[in-house]
Each structure stands twice: as structure tokens, then as C-alpha cells.
């Protein structure tokens, strides 16, 4: 029987890039990453003001591909920070579109993935989807409770890539994801480390709230009283302090760069401060992996390291030497988000899965 071929447009905006892919079923037939230098991004007063620029990029890439819009069967966009949802592929309905346009969602450029996908789908008369939003919530109740009533930990993490690499690991090792105990560390501009138990992410640090290891440009967990002192110091407004925590701290603050390759080169040239910062970042990732091992009661089938920082063998080595006794370490460098979104939408188009409704 002849295979049904589906062409899917995939849109993945990040803080400093917009990635666009066109897939024929699960095969990428065209992809392009458009980088947005910091000087370009800083021209906009806020993230929401970037919308037309981001959409123009998607339109230009689609035109460059030479693939007719009329040949597309679906569009899938990366989802921003919306309300907690279960894992899976969601039909991009009006309610989800409205939530993606909210102030909370537009704190990160990822929201434009769903926004642009929805608008193009309406113009073309085809369905649009999102897959495993960052707010996938499968956390244990005891993982959410804190020592202050009314303050709870949230499940916000790199769910799309973390779920994808966990399932890939299981396929490649003849395991069932729903019968596995895995730890996934997504190492990017923000770092999230998640514990996967029998197909559910039962615990994870909330990198979007400043929880967990510091990263290339994020502060990570901080002593609470020191943060309170800074908040009341008069040096910052609420908005500038939040921006400080999530865009100008971490390795960026210590070394003046968020580029791990540059930091590694400085280490080779004898820079002791760069060495300390990189080792501290790796140390904190290893500690978070240890915490997730505790969430899995010490029984770990595998540890997966992924994300952009995983391209650095030296950085991965610093983590591995501390955690390899917990479980075998597998590395999937980069992020697989375009592929993950395309495959999630394809499962629905081929009627292997049913799209969930965002309500």
C-alpha cells in the first residue's frame, strides 16, 4: 500500500533565533535557522513587539524553500508558557491562541511558534498543532510543596526535547518509555533536569523561575535572603531584576559571554576564572542529576544529556565523571525540537494518535 505523504511546516522561535523546517512525514526536506543578533533583538521595547519580524522570517523561509503553501497539510509551532497541561499533541484552538498572546506567555519568544502557526493555518485552511508544551505537568504533589504556604514549585521545563530524547533512548535500547526510569538534563541557555518514571515526568527544576543550576545566561537557584536584599536595595525595578536573573546572569555575568566555546578556549589559554565558572556550572548540573536520582528512589536506567552545551565533550566530561555511578550516560547533542514537533503532528495526521483539546 502506498504511503500517505504529509507536508508539515514547523516553526520554532527561540530567544535569539527562529528555526523553520518543512517535513515530508518524519523526513526534513528543508530547514533554516535565522539568527537574531542581540543588537537586533534590543531594538524592540519588549518581546511581544517582535511578532511581525518573526512572522516575516517564517514567510521568507517558506518562500525560499520553493515549496508551495497549498501543498502543506498542517502547521506545528512551538508552544510558549501556558497553563499546565498533560503530555501530547494539542490542536491549536482559539483558546490556546489567546493564551499564547497573554503577557505571561510572551515573556519568551517561543510563544510566537503557536501564534504564527495559528494565523497561517487560518489563512490556508489547514490544522495547526503544538506538541508537549513547556508546561507539561506530571509532577508528584510532594515535589511541588514548599515551606511557604501559597508558594508551589511549577512544572516548566524543556518538555518537548526532554520527552523526545527519552523516547529515542528507549527505542534505541529496546526499552519501553512507559516502563523506564530516566533522568534527562537539557543543557541550553537555561538548564532543566527531569526525572522520568514510567512515561511521566515526576519531578523537574523550574528553570523559568530561577530554580536549579545556573546556565550560560541564567542565575539558577540563589540564597533567598540575598535575593530579598537585592530586591529592596533600590538598584532594580521588578522588570529589570527579572531580566537580570534570566538574561544577564550565570556565565554571562561572570565571564562577559554566554558562549561555552569561548569559555573553553579561555580555559585552554590559562584563564582560571573561566575554569572555575565552567566547572561550577557542571558541578551544579551533576548535583541536580543526583536530586532527580533521589526522586527515582535511586533506581536509574539511564542518564541523558542533551541541548546545545552537550556539543562540548569537555563540559560533558565534567558532568559524567560525577554521575556515571548513578547510571549509564548517553549524549544527544543539540535540541531535536523541529523533529519532535513534526513527529507529534504526524501521529495525529495519520490517525495514530488523537489531538488533545486545550480548554
Amino acid at each position: 500500500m502506498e504511503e500517505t505523504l504529509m507536508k508539515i511546516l514547523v516553526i520554532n522561535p527561540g530567544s535569539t533565533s527562529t528555526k523553520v523546517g518543512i517535513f515530508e512525514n518524519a523526513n526534513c526536506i528543508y530547514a533554516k535557522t535565522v539568527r537574531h543578533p542581540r543588537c537586533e533583538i534590543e531594538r524592540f521595547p519588549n518581546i511581544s513587539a517582535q511578532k511581525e519580524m518573526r512572522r516575516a522570517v517564517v514567510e521568507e523561509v517558506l518562500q525560499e524553500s520553493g515549496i508551495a503553501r497549498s501543498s502543506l497539510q498542517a502547521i506545528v509551532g512551538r508552544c510558549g508558557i501556558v497553563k499546565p497541561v498533560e503530555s501530547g499533541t494539542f490542536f491549536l484552538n482559539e483558546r490556546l491562541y489567546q493564551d499564547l498572546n497573554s503577557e505571561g506567555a510572551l515573556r519568551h519568544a517561543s510563544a510566537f511558534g503557536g501564534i504564527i502557526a495559528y494565523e497561517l493555518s487560518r489563512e490556508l485552511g489547514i490544522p495547526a498543532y503544538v506538541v508537549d508544551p513547556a508546561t507539561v505537568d506530571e509532577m508528584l504533589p510532594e515535589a511541588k510543596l514548599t515551606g511557604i504556604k501559597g508558594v508551589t514549585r511549577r512544572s516548566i521545563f524543556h518538555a518537548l526535547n526532554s520527552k523526545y530524547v527519552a523516547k529515542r533512548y528507549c527505542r534505541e535500547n529496546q526499552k519501553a518509555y512507559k516502563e523506564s526510569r530516566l533522568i534527562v538534563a537539557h543543557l541550553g541557555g537555561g538548564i532543566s533536569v527531569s526525572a522520568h518514571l514510567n512515561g511521566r515526568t515526576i519531578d523537574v527544576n523550574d528553570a523559568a523561575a530561577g530554580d536549579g543550576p545556573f546556565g550560560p545566561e541564567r542565575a539558577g537557584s540563589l540564597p533567598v535572603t540575598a535575593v530579598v536584599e537585592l530586591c529592596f536595595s533600590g538598584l532594580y525595578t521588578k522588570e529589570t531584576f527579572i531580566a537580570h536573573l534570566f538574561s544577564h546572569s550565570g556565565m554571562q555575568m561572570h565571564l562577559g559571554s554566554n558562549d561555552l566555546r569561548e569559555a573553553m578556549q579561555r580555559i585552554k589559554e590559562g584563564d582560571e576564572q573561566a575554569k572555575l565558572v565552567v566547572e561550577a556550572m557542571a558541578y551544579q548540573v551533576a548535583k541536580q542529576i543526583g536530586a532527580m536520582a533521589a526522586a527515582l528512589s535511586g533506581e536509574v536506567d539511564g542518564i541523558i544529556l542533551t541541548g546545545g552545551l552537550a556539543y562540548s565533550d569537555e563540559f560533558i566530561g565534567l558532568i559524567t565523571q560525577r554521575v556515571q555511578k548513578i547510571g549509564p550516560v548517553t549524549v544527544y547533542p543539540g535540541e531535536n525540537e523541529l523533529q519532535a514537533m513534526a513527529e507529534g503532528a504526524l501521529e495525529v495526521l495519520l490517525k495514530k494518535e488523537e489531538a488533545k483539546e486545550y480548554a
Side-chain angles (χ1 to χ4, degrees):
M1 191 170 81
E2 188 175 341
E3 183 183 20
T4 302
L5 292 179
M6 300 286 184
K7 281 196 176 71
I8 305 167
L9 173 64
V10 184
I11 305 166
N12 184 11
S15 299
T16 58
S17 69
T18 302
K19 299 178 182 179
V20 182
I22 300 170
F23 285 73
E24 196 166 69
N25 285 9
N27 300 313
C28 184
I29 58 175
Y30 189 85
K32 184 172 182 179
T33 298
V34 177
R35 304 288 179 189
H36 306 299
R38 188 174 291 275
C39 60
E40 177 187 1
I41 294 298
E42 289 177 348
R43 288 192 295 108
F44 296 95
N46 50 51
I47 290 175
S48 62
Q50 298 176 24
K51 179 188 168 184
E52 293 308 317
M53 179 272 285
R54 299 282 186 159
R55 173 157 178 167
V57 167
V58 174
E59 301 267 13
E60 288 167 14
V61 173
L62 186 55
Q63 185 173 357
E64 288 172 12
S65 74
I67 295 168
R69 296 175 180 226
S70 59
S71 70
L72 298 172
Q73 274 77 43
I75 307 173
V76 56
R78 188 174 169 196
C79 191
I81 297 175
V82 291
K83 69 180 185 181
V85 295
E86 58 186 0
S87 177
T89 299
F90 287 79
F91 181 67
L92 220 170
N93 57 22
E94 175 71 21
R95 185 181 294 273
L96 178 51
Y97 174 70
Q98 293 299 331
D99 281 3
L100 286 169
N101 277 286
S102 69
E103 183 181 352
L106 284 170
R107 284 181 56 188
H108 193 279
S110 58
F112 291 126
I115 290 170
I116 297 168
Y118 178 84
E119 294 177 353
L120 285 175
S121 75
R122 300 279 286 196
E123 293 173 15
L124 298 175
I126 58 177
Y129 305 97
V130 299
V131 179
D132 280 336
T135 51
V136 166
D137 185 357
E138 300 165 331
M139 283 177 72
L140 298 172
E142 57 266 38
K144 294 183 176 183
L145 194 69
T146 73
I148 296 183
K149 190 174 181 178
V151 177
T152 58
R153 291 191 173 87
R154 308 174 303 173
S155 181
I156 298 183
F157 68 114
H158 301 89
L160 183 62
N161 188 47
S162 296
K163 287 275 188 180
Y164 178 82
V165 296
K167 293 172 185 176
R168 175 182 169 184
Y169 172 86
C170 290
R171 287 196 304 269
E172 293 178 357
N173 290 275
Q174 294 75 53
K175 295 178 180 289
Y177 177 53
K178 291 188 177 181
E179 298 174 3
S180 297
R181 309 169 76 92
L182 304 169
I183 298 170
V184 180
H186 180 104
L187 312 172
I191 294 173
S192 63
V193 184
S194 48
H196 300 241
L197 176 63
N198 299 334
R200 297 177 64 81
T201 309
I202 62 167
D203 201 353
V204 64
N205 65 286
D206 181 356
D211 185 28
F214 75 80
E217 52 193 32
R218 295 188 190 175
S221 297
L222 298 169
V224 176
T225 53
V227 173
V228 172
E229 292 289 347
L230 283 173
C231 288
F232 287 90
S233 67
L235 297 174
Y236 307 97
T237 63
K238 176 183 175 181
E239 291 73 20
T240 59
F241 189 62
I242 289 174
H244 197 59
L245 291 175
F246 296 107
S247 301
H248 307 295
S249 50
M251 188 171 69
Q252 170 76 41
M253 174 175 281
H254 289 295
L255 301 180
S257 172
N258 63 358
D259 191 333
L260 182 60
R261 294 166 299 182
E262 181 181 329
M264 287 300 183
Q265 182 58 39
R266 286 167 60 172
I267 292 171
K268 289 177 183 177
E269 294 169 358
D271 188 326
E272 290 298 322
Q273 177 66 7
K275 183 173 183 290
L276 174 61
V277 170
V278 170
E279 289 183 350
M281 188 162 64
Y283 175 80
Q284 291 190 13
V285 172
K287 281 209 305 182
Q288 194 67 37
I289 290 172
M292 293 302 109
L296 295 174
S297 302
E299 298 177 32
V300 180
D301 295 330
I303 299 167
I304 303 167
L305 307 180
T306 186
L309 303 187
Y311 281 112
S312 170
D313 292 339
E314 296 93 339
F315 187 66
I316 291 301
L318 291 170
I319 299 169
T320 300
Q321 68 185 10
R322 292 186 180 275
V323 303
Q324 57 191 343
K325 290 185 179 180
I326 296 172
V329 177
T330 301
V331 183
Y332 294 128
E335 46 79 17
N336 305 269
E337 290 165 344
L338 290 179
Q339 188 73 36
M341 286 190 279
E343 291 186 15
L346 182 64
E347 290 290 296
V348 170
L349 293 172
L350 297 179
K351 302 188 184 306
K352 295 181 179 179
E353 297 285 346
E354 188 172 341
K356 301 176 188 294
E357 281 288 335
Y358 181 89

